[in-house]
Amino acid sequence: MSEHYVKVKIHVEQMKSFGEDAEKQGVDAEEEQVAVSSSPPASVSPDPPSITIAGRDVSNTFKHRGKSRIKMGKDDKNICGKHSLDVSLHGGRNVNKLGHERTLHIKGTGKILQGKNNENNGVSMRPSKNIQEDGFKLARKRRPVTVDTSKAKTSLEALKLSIRQLKWKEFPLGRRAPCDIYWHGVSFHDNENIVSGQVNKFPGMIEMLRKINLSRAVRTMQELFPEEYDFYPRSWILPEECQQFSTQIRMVKENDASVNPTFIVKPDGGSQGDGIYLIRDPSDLKLMVGSQAKQAVVQEYIQRPLLIDKLKFDIRLYVLLKSLEPLEIYIAKEGLTRFCTEPYQEPSQKNLSHVFMHLTNYSLNVHSGNFVHSSSQSTGSKRSLSSVLYRLAAKGVDIKKVWSDIIALVIKTTIAVVPELRVYYQAEIPPGKPGPTCFQILGFDILLMKNLKPVLLEVNSNPSMRIEHEQEMAPGVFEYVPSPVDEEVKVGVIRDTLRLMDPGHKRTSISNLRAGGLDHGEEIPMEAEPQDRSPDEGALPSLCLKQVYPKYTKQFNYLRLVERIAALFIRFLGVKGNMRLGPTAFRTFIRTCKLSNSNFSMASVDILYIDITRRWSGTMADSREAGMGLQAFVEAFFYLAGRRFKSQPLREQVASLLELCEAQLETPPPGGEERRSVSCSRAVPRSIRTQTLPHPQLSSPGPLRRAASQDYRLHQRLKPRSLRANLEN
Ligand code: ADP
């Protein structure tokens, strides 16, 4: 990358090192293989594609923090300053169709903020008399927002910094009077009996994002929208789908001897790469732990990932689920990339066990002798996402398209898990019962394939928010030292999450938000929009969290079919706090929605209920409640839709049945009127589905309901076992 190719405009002196780091890195031969032209031409928005990343000058901070990491004194005043770095790329490929310069803006926060910050920006904390008279209702002296940090665990350090930047009040030991925000390190239940305020975890999120449940949720969406959900590798659930897995692989190999796929096996509750292994043959599956069958997901291994410096890497993206209803999703504009520490080779029998080559987990690679802790964000084994995008952009990669695909992946994945979350939520905090509202930061792990297509690896309900790492100072002597790249990214994410959840912050009206959005198929611009700030936030950097939903409602709302099924399910649950439907409630649903007739008697309804519920309870590891869970209800609903609207594709069958049920119940559709207009019309016939992952011959096992036939019992006899199981395990 020569100087005339890349023009670096540095607005603040302190950030020079960042730019130099990025510039110093040459593009190696391996990287040149990136299929720059393979991504479809992006529709060019009138604005120059750019990323704006809010952060801060960590080098400064750590100079101070290094002195005293526990007791944070005046040194911390440096923390929430602001600086900005604009990097403009020139060159043939870097000029968009409209002739705009392609610009990568990276905004940091190096400027020092002092106590009198409001004067600095010409924004006064104290409203003038005039302003008050104008009806500008700023609190006289706003009570600081209170945050209970007593259960924050490993996110405590980043949380403390964030609270200090916001001038909020921390309660490290909890307090008797309610707090505005409760920050939990693990789950919704870390503090019991919270009846007000906000908690940074949703009930049921841990369960929903376990590997098996996430795979099931995505699979349900793949049945309805196979094209839209092709970003998740084909997966089989063990032990129940072991047989299908073996049979399918055998058939694929018999059909084409040159096909030799690799699979990655991940224990269901695992994290940090624990228990993961690669196989090339189903006979290599380790199915038992002692006398118990192992719950795991076996997944198609992405053999050709994008490499940088010859190394495999993945992206950790932070996503804020701000609200379930209405659905509000924000994506952090800055993330992390985690690098392997051994040069990548496509899997072979010889290298299958080389974890430093195949697994990008920080927790594994940090133990490799090759791991590089770098003080720069653009080098080392953990780098900022912006520095990686910068390098790709410098090579002519259409990063606008990559980013747009990543946003779509995040929204679609969230849409897949929201239905079940709504069931958990209403069970935990039924309408009318006092309780907190919830929000949650999620960690999306994304791999870029060589052709730049993003693939979802997993979603973490508890992404690490640690901003320090362990270092061996002397043989056998370990100490926690600050990690600049972690702090840069994670403090921004926590601080801006808090800002968005500020109870004093006026909520953007839902109707306003709904009005926004692009048409389906339009590309999502990378440009950050001006975010509204509360008057006392003037001194803080602009939000590093970008709203993507409901902003892009028009593009994605049509995917929310299962959520509408969940709304029906919840409506018929009856007893408060229930998560399962009893046989009477199921009958009531059928009757109220007028789904039985002479061809489908109430006796058949009962058989349907018993069969589906029995099969699902058979796959439940620790069923606490009897009855029909949401997944089983979805299966029943798909079956009923197939019976009623035979000739249509599944998604249209389901959309038609939903409209019929909602009309009977006079349910206002979630997502407003727009939803109706997009629910069916955008359906893509299943026949034109395209496969983007390798080995199109392999397909995940499809549930029985696809073949919904006249008689459910007969149908069950033909295919003795459902592939679907219960969420609670
Ligand atoms: P864990 O929760 O244990 O970290 P992950 O699903 O994140 O499990 O997988 C661990 C690592 O394995 C990932 O960071 C990635 O490097 C690699 N990996 C996971 N799934 C795949 C896949 N389907 N193809 C290629 N690599 C994968």
Side-chain angles (χ1 to χ4, degrees):
M1 188 190 325
S2 62
E3 255 189 67
H4 66 268
Y5 221 149
V6 179
K7 183 176 137 207
V8 183
K9 295 182 212 159
I10 304 173
H11 293 318
V12 173
E13 204 55 31
Q14 294 101 307
M15 278 302 282
K16 263 188 181 153
S17 59
F18 183 100
E20 281 161 10
D21 283 334
E23 221 176 343
K24 264 185 230 154
Q25 292 174 59
V27 175
D28 61 39
E30 187 73 25
E31 280 182 81
E32 293 304 344
Q33 298 168 14
V34 172
V36 172
S37 55
S38 70
S39 56
S43 63
V44 179
S45 66
D47 302 316
S50 71
I51 316 166
T52 306
I53 292 146
R56 62 193 189 74
D57 188 337
V58 285
S59 55
N60 248 354
T61 310
F62 279 106
K63 259 181 246 155
H64 295 288
R65 291 186 59 226
K67 288 183 197 159
S68 164
R69 291 186 349 87
I70 308 293
K71 192 167 162 288
M72 307 295 281
K74 60 181 178 351
D75 294 342
D76 298 319
K77 285 177 187 166
N78 275 359
I79 284 168
C80 44
K82 198 189 251 183
H83 60 219
S84 119
L85 166 73
D86 284 4
V87 184
S88 300
L89 307 171
H90 295 276
R93 277 191 294 186
N94 292 326
V95 176
N96 69 22
K97 282 184 204 159
L98 296 175
H100 288 294
E101 245 182 43
R102 205 171 195 205
T103 308
L104 185 67
H105 300 283
I106 304 171
K107 277 193 190 163
T109 57
K111 207 169 95 187
I112 297 172
L113 277 189
Q114 304 291 351
K116 298 176 198 158
N117 53 357
N118 299 305
E119 275 96 29
N120 290 347
N121 282 20
V123 179
S124 172
M125 275 281 270
R126 284 169 194 273
S128 73
K129 207 169 171 232
N130 282 349
I131 292 174
Q132 280 179 326
E133 279 165 10
D134 285 350
F136 193 98
K137 290 210 169 71
L138 248 185
R140 257 153 276 141
K141 181 144 202 231
R142 222 183 114 195
R143 177 180 70 81
V145 180
T146 53
V147 185
D148 181 332
T149 61
S150 61
K151 306 285 181 190
K153 300 214 165 180
T154 55
S155 50
L156 185 60
E157 192 81 354
L159 181 61
K160 275 174 181 287
L161 288 173
S162 305
I163 293 172
R164 199 165 292 136
Q165 290 180 19
L166 295 168
K167 300 187 171 55
W168 289 8
K169 200 160 167 50
E170 181 197 351
F171 283 90
L173 300 173
R175 69 166 183 172
R176 274 237 269 275
C179 276
D180 295 310
I181 293 175
Y182 297 83
W183 198 273
H184 291 180
V186 182
S187 89
F188 176 79
H189 295 283
D190 287 356
N191 275 299
E192 289 296 347
N193 304 322
I194 301 172
V195 292
S196 64
Q198 308 181 71
V199 177
N200 72 322
K201 298 281 189 265
F202 279 95
M205 189 68 91
I206 294 180
E207 292 81 351
M208 245 344 270
L209 295 183
R210 285 168 76 99
K211 291 177 173 60
I212 287 182
N213 288 336
L214 178 66
S215 298
R216 287 192 204 287
V218 174
R219 187 186 288 177
T220 299
M221 296 306 290
Q222 283 173 334
E223 285 174 59
L224 291 166
F225 305 100
E227 269 207 340
E228 287 87 337
Y229 281 83
D230 68 354
F231 56 81
Y232 191 66
R234 271 172 279 269
S235 304
W236 294 259
I237 290 158
L238 301 179
E240 66 208 63
E241 291 168 10
C242 183
Q243 196 53 50
Q244 286 101 319
F245 172 62
S246 303
T247 312
Q248 285 193 11
I249 306 311
R250 202 185 53 241
M251 277 165 54
V252 165
K253 288 184 176 176
E254 276 170 11
N255 280 347
D256 183 350
S258 68
V259 175
N260 200 2
T262 303
F263 301 93
I264 182 163
V265 189
K266 313 183 194 180
D268 183 37
S271 65
Q272 304 189 330
D274 268 0
I276 290 185
Y277 59 98
L278 303 188
I279 57 167
R280 306 201 94 189
D281 194 278
S283 62
D284 294 329
L285 279 174
K286 300 166 196 160
L287 288 169
M288 304 297 282
V289 207
S291 58
Q292 282 215 312
K294 258 190 194 171
Q295 297 269 321
V297 166
V298 56
Q299 193 171 76
E300 179 180 19
Y301 186 73
I302 305 302
Q303 308 216 31
R304 308 194 78 199
L306 181 70
L307 305 181
I308 287 184
D309 299 335
K310 299 189 170 64
L311 299 170
K312 177 174 171 178
F313 67 97
D314 77 349
I315 297 170
R316 160 58 59 85
L317 201 68
Y318 296 95
V319 171
L320 169 65
L321 180 54
K322 184 167 179 267
S323 152
L324 276 186
E325 216 177 338
L327 184 58
E328 288 185 58
I329 310 168
Y330 287 73
I331 296 185
K333 286 176 261 171
E334 182 60 293
L336 294 170
T337 50
R338 288 90 48 102
F339 282 71
C340 278
T341 43
E342 186 182 324
Y344 186 77
Q345 286 165 15
E346 285 198 20
S348 67
Q349 205 57 47
K350 266 199 216 146
N351 69 29
L352 280 191
S353 60
H354 292 209
V355 288
F356 299 147
M357 175 188 288
H358 291 294
L359 307 187
T360 50
N361 299 82
Y362 164 80
S363 49
L364 296 174
N365 283 281
V366 75
H367 299 296
S368 147
N370 295 335
F371 193 92
V372 180
H373 289 290
S374 170
S375 56
S376 153
Q377 301 192 6
S378 49
T379 57
S381 301
K382 204 191 254 189
R383 307 181 194 177
S384 67
L385 173 58
S386 59
S387 76
V388 165
L389 290 178
Y390 176 94
R391 284 189 65 176
L392 297 177
K395 290 167 51 193
V397 167
D398 184 356
I399 55 167
K400 180 184 169 195
K401 168 82 168 69
V402 172
W403 186 241
S404 161
D405 288 348
I406 288 176
I407 291 180
L409 175 154
V410 166
I411 296 175
K412 289 173 188 174
T413 306
T414 310
I415 285 175
V417 299
V418 158
E420 194 85 36
L421 285 177
R422 284 182 61 172
V423 176
Y424 277 102
Y425 196 87
Q426 66 76 39
E428 195 64 49
I429 312 166
K433 182 183 160 189
T437 52
C438 302
F439 62 94
Q440 190 153 354
I441 297 170
L442 303 171
F444 277 66
D445 290 349
I446 294 166
L447 192 71
L448 288 181
M449 286 169 55
K450 197 164 198 159
N451 65 3
L452 299 169
K453 183 181 168 60
V455 169
L456 176 70
L457 298 178
E458 69 158 347
V459 188
N460 289 275
S461 56
N462 280 316
S464 164
M465 285 293 168
R466 254 189 203 285
I467 53 174
E468 60 279 292
H469 62 81
E470 235 178 50
Q471 211 166 40
E472 194 166 12
M473 309 308 272
V477 182
F478 291 89
E479 227 177 71
Y480 277 111
V481 295
S483 166
V485 68
D486 284 294
E487 180 166 340
E488 165 73 12
V489 175
K490 294 172 183 175
V491 174
V493 170
I494 293 186
R495 180 197 58 225
D496 290 350
T497 295
L498 291 174
R499 283 162 81 187
L500 285 168
M501 304 316 298
D502 180 349
H505 195 86
K506 202 179 81 203
R507 264 179 102 85
T508 316
S509 98
I510 291 160
S511 54
N512 282 349
L513 294 170
R514 287 231 169 90
L518 303 170
D519 284 328
H520 182 53
E522 220 176 303
E523 191 162 290
I524 301 162
M526 287 178 80
E527 199 71 69
E529 313 70 36
Q531 303 268 3
D532 55 341
R533 301 179 191 198
S534 56
D536 52 344
E537 280 190 355
L540 293 169
S542 60
L543 286 175
C544 71
L545 292 163
K546 172 192 161 75
Q547 192 200 71
V548 295
Y549 207 91
K551 182 169 174 38
Y552 300 123
T553 295
K554 281 189 193 156
Q555 261 181 319
F556 297 100
N557 213 35
Y558 74 104
L559 299 173
R560 297 174 66 185
L561 291 184
V562 181
E563 215 178 318
R564 289 164 62 193
I565 300 177
L568 289 177
F569 176 78
I570 290 168
R571 185 178 174 131
F572 286 94
L573 275 176
V575 182
K576 276 186 185 175
N578 248 6
M579 288 188 60
R580 289 174 197 283
L581 213 58
T584 312
F586 188 69
R587 279 176 143 248
T588 311
F589 155 67
I590 298 283
R591 276 218 186 88
T592 317
C593 294
K594 302 197 172 28
L595 300 182
S596 68
N597 52 35
S598 52
N599 286 331
F600 190 57
S601 66
M602 286 314 280
S604 312
V605 169
D606 290 340
I607 291 170
L608 176 67
Y609 177 88
I610 292 165
D611 276 356
I612 291 190
T613 306
R614 188 182 295 152
R615 269 184 308 100
W616 276 86
S617 60
T619 55
M620 280 153 52
D622 61 344
S623 158
R624 279 170 290 157
E625 254 181 66
M628 179 182 258
L630 176 66
Q631 293 277 341
F633 184 75
V634 169
E635 182 165 341
F637 197 89
F638 282 13
Y639 170 76
L640 293 167
R643 274 187 66 96
R644 189 127 191 162
F645 304 98
K646 288 194 182 73
S647 55
Q648 300 172 10
L650 180 64
R651 78 180 70 176
E652 293 192 6
Q653 292 173 346
V654 169
S656 302
L657 190 65
L658 273 168
E659 284 183 10
L660 197 148
C661 294
E662 286 164 357
Q664 294 298 337
L665 297 166
E666 291 176 349
T667 314
E673 285 310 305
E674 284 162 17
R675 197 266 310 139
R676 262 176 210 286
S677 62
V678 292
S679 60
C680 294
S681 56
R682 304 196 192 286
V684 180
R686 306 183 99 198
S687 54
I688 64 164
R689 172 185 181 184
T690 53
Q691 299 279 1
T692 48
L693 297 177
H695 311 306
Q697 304 94 316
L698 299 177
S699 60
S700 298
L704 300 174
R705 59 188 175 229
R706 270 192 201 157
S709 64
Q710 296 294 331
D711 179 84
Y712 194 81
R713 205 156 235 179
L714 172 65
H715 173 72
Q716 290 308 304
R717 275 203 298 274
L718 290 172
K719 303 215 174 182
R721 190 166 170 78
S722 165
L723 305 169
R724 308 183 62 80
N726 197 280
L727 283 168
E728 291 180 330
N729 58 16

